[in-house]
């Protein structure tokens, strides 16, 4: 078996367990929950097949939905972010880079990685909480959930990437 697939499978299981067992129980100030599995989608390298990104992401979202009692919310959000990731990655990648460029701080630099991560996190969190609420009746709570969860997820991802780059 390919080592890339084994690494992806390990990250899949680890992120699913961490989100389901630990992070879903965090509700900072009553509305901010870190949604770390989006990191799985962010780190797909440049030439990874789009169908494989969609499949991996949908399955991760499906696992998260089954553990978190959010029917279809995580699967839809992860699949949308997986669909957009290859296209949003292109402006951040140098033109002369190879197809197997890994998305990390080492390859993109802090500024580009942070910008790409923030963009994908905002999309994921906004879609996640929009589908979860399915109403704009309490739009202040909805905005606080999006803002707080985006900030916490972004902070967690930057910390993880900082530890990986050392």
């Amino acid at each position: 078996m390919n080592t890339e697939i084994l690494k992806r499978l390990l990250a899949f299981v680890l992120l699913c367990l961490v989100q389901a067992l630990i992070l879903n129980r965090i509700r900072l100030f009553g509305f901010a929950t870190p949604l770390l599995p989006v990191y799985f989608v962010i780190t797909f390298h440049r030439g990874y097949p789009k169908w494989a990104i969609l499949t991996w992401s949908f399955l991760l979202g499906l696992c998260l939905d089954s553990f978190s009692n959010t029917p279809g919310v995580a699967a839809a959000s992860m699949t949308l972010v997986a669909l957009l990731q290859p296209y949003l990655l292109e402006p951040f990648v140098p033109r002369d880079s190879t197809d197997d460029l890994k998305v990390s701080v080492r390859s993109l630099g802090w500024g580009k990685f942070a910008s790409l991560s923030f963009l994908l996190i905002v999309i994921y969190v906004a879609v996640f909480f929009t589908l979860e609420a399915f109403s704009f009746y309490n739009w202040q709570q909805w905005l606080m959930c999006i803002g707080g969860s985006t900030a916490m997820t972004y902070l967690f991802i930057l910390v993880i990437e900082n530890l990986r780059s050392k």
Side-chain angles (χ1 to χ4, degrees):
M1 217 185 216
N2 192 351
T3 58
E4 176 69 25
I5 294 173
L6 288 175
K7 287 179 185 178
R8 281 277 160 205
L9 191 59
L10 179 65
F12 182 98
V13 171
L14 186 67
L15 283 171
C16 192
L17 288 175
V18 167
Q19 184 68 40
L21 299 176
I22 299 168
L23 298 178
N24 279 349
R25 299 191 183 354
I26 297 174
R27 297 288 289 184
L28 191 63
F29 305 118
F31 56 84
T33 302
L35 300 170
L36 199 58
V38 71
Y39 184 64
F40 185 76
V41 178
I42 292 171
T43 58
F44 278 108
H45 65 77
R46 184 178 180 197
Y48 211 82
K50 292 177 178 80
W51 66 268
I53 297 172
L54 288 169
T55 304
W56 276 109
S57 301
F58 175 74
L59 291 176
L60 179 58
L62 201 59
C63 287
L64 292 171
D65 284 334
S66 64
F67 286 122
S68 304
N69 196 21
T70 56
V73 173
S77 304
M78 290 289 284
T79 305
L80 178 67
V81 171
L83 181 69
L84 296 175
Q85 190 264 2
Y87 303 106
L88 294 176
L89 176 63
E90 285 304 315
F92 296 99
V93 176
R95 292 193 190 279
D96 58 344
S97 63
T98 62
D99 269 350
D100 63 344
L101 177 80
K102 296 189 185 302
V103 178
S104 68
V105 169
R106 285 184 186 164
S107 60
L108 296 178
W110 271 106
K112 289 181 180 181
F113 180 81
S115 300
L116 174 66
S117 297
F118 185 76
L119 187 60
L120 290 172
I121 290 167
V122 167
I123 293 168
Y124 176 71
V125 171
V127 171
F128 184 89
F129 283 109
T130 302
L131 291 175
E132 186 181 52
F134 212 66
S135 166
F136 294 112
Y137 177 73
N138 194 357
W139 61 273
Q140 295 96 350
Q141 178 74 20
W142 175 74
L143 284 176
M144 289 190 317
C145 286
I146 291 174
S149 296
T150 298
M152 283 186 67
T153 304
Y154 188 60
L155 180 67
F156 277 36
I157 287 176
L158 290 182
V159 167
I160 290 169
E161 196 59 32
N162 187 29
L163 293 175
R164 278 186 62 203
S165 67
K166 289 185 179 185

